[in-house]
């Protein structure tokens, strides 16, 4: 397969490098020039001969601009596989535009972060037709360990933002519970031992514990260096709230989590820190 890869940043570059072990890859990025990938001078050049063009871009506006440039350049019958995290509406608009141009589109945002991209262990959540999903599945097998077909176009993004809304909410709940436990005189190790094996358990507590020195190794043990940066969590929570408004879904906890991460990132020095740094944030506060 000839694969074009557009957006060679923290995630895109290692994903492209894994694909390059099995396929012909040509890449493009406006800034990044990673070693080990043949580079073209424009997105349209990358798109011209590709059987599949993969995009891994920062947001929906950039994705729309890149799609407008590459779709007319792509071969009839080629696939646009977008792995960025963007709003559901953009993913659906891109698919409609692709189909109108004689292409197929799959939205397949990822979970697993930079480590998963490097090690080829990402999870993909995909939206698009069953045929399109089947056609690009061999690429998921190289870049990841699991791919779930979530339904029609946009449903991959829907799954991603619902998952990350749960993650943001449970991380905040875990952090505020640790601080309440501290103030009640409960040892953090005892708190972890109970909650991680009781009904309060979650991925945030069990796999990514926000308390340093407790549970498995996590960014808390590395001075809250990301990991998954707070501003990326804020991006995903904002996408969840855009979708909730559009779908008229009542999501008060997701709304509260978005507001708290916004405050943390914009007013409280949270930018650049892992999203589990909510724990020291709560530690430094009182109730009123
Ligand atoms: P990044 O900022 O490191 O990479 C994005 C790249 O896109 C940059 O290198 C940038 O130069 C390039 N770019 C921007 N505009 C472009 C254009 N018009 N044409 C070509 N290239 C362009 O971001 P990332 O961390 O690699 O994340 C990429 C996507 O993956 C985002 O949507 C993010 O939300 C999602 N994601 C990231 C993580 C993570 O842990 N970093 C985890 C899951 C999902």
């Amino acid at each position: 397969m000839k694969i074009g890869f557009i957006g060679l940043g923290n995630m895109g570059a290692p994903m492209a490098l894994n694909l390059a072990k099995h396929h012909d890859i040509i890449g493009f990025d406006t800034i990044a020039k990673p070693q080990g990938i043949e580079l073209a001078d424009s997105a349209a050049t990358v798109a011209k001969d590709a059987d599949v063009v993969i995009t891994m871009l920062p947001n929906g506006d950039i994705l729309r601009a890149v799609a407008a440039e590459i779709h007319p350049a792509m071969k009839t019958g080629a696939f646009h596989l977008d792995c960025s995290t963007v709003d559901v509406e953009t993913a659906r608009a891109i698919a409609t535009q692709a189909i109108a141009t004689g292409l197929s589109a799959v939205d397949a945002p990822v979970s697993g972060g930079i480590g998963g991209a490097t090690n080829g262990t990402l999870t993909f959540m995909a939206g698009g037709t069953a045929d399109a999903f089947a056609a690009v599945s061999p690429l998921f097998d190289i870049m990841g360990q699991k791919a779930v077909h979530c339904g029609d176009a946009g449903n991959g993004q829907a799954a991603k933002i619902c998952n990350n809304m749960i993650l943001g909410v449970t991380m905040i709940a875990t952090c505020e519970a640790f601080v309440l436990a501290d103030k009640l005189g409960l040892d953090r190790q005892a708190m972890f031992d109970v909650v991680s094996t009781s009904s309060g358990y979650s991925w945030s507590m069990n796999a990514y514990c926000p308390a340093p020195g407790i549970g498995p190794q996590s960014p808390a043990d590395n001075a809250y260096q990301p990991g998954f940066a707070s501003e990326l969590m804020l991006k995903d929570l904002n996408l969840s709230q855009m979708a909730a408004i559009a779908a008229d879904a009542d999501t008060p906890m997701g709304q509260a989590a978005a507001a708290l991460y916004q405050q943390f990132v914009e007013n409280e020095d949270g930018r650049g820190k892992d999203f589990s740094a909510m724990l020291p944030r709560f530690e430094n506060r009182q109730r009123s």
Side-chain angles (χ1 to χ4, degrees), residues 10-11 112-116 171 203 208 217-234 261 264-265 269-278:
N10 290 323
M11 295 292 288
I114 297 165
M171 180 54 81
W203 188 87
Y208 205 91
Q217 191 79 14
S218 71
D221 302 309
N222 189 26
Y224 295 99
Q225 293 303 303
F228 186 46
S230 296
E231 59 269 28
L232 290 179
M233 173 51 82
L234 175 60
Y261 274 103
F264 188 47
V265 167
D269 206 24
R271 185 178 296 278
K273 292 187 181 145
D274 189 73
F275 81 118
S276 61
M278 271 289 163

Side-chain angles (χ1 to χ4, degrees), residues 11 34 75 106 122 145 164 171 221 224 229 231 259 266 280 283:
M11 295 292 288
K75 295 189 296 194
V106 176
L122 293 169
Q145 62 184 359
N164 279 20
M171 180 54 81
D221 302 309
Y224 295 99
E231 59 269 28
E266 292 180 3
E283 260 181 296

Side-chain angles (χ1 to χ4, degrees), residues 8-19 37 114 117-120 143:
L8 299 166
N10 290 323
M11 295 292 288
M15 291 163 73
L17 282 167
N18 282 331
L19 288 170
I37 300 163
I114 297 165
T118 305
N119 299 324
M143 296 185 285

Side-chain angles (χ1 to χ4, degrees), residues 6-12 28-32 43 56-59 62 65-66 83-86 110-114 160 227-228 232 235-236:
I6 300 171
L8 299 166
N10 290 323
M11 295 292 288
F28 174 71
D29 190 295
T30 41
I31 296 170
M56 193 54 172
L57 295 163
N59 60 50
I62 293 175
V66 168
C83 297
S84 326
T85 303
V86 301
V110 304
S111 170
I114 297 165
K160 167 83 186 178
F228 186 46
L232 290 179
K235 173 192 168 183
D236 292 358

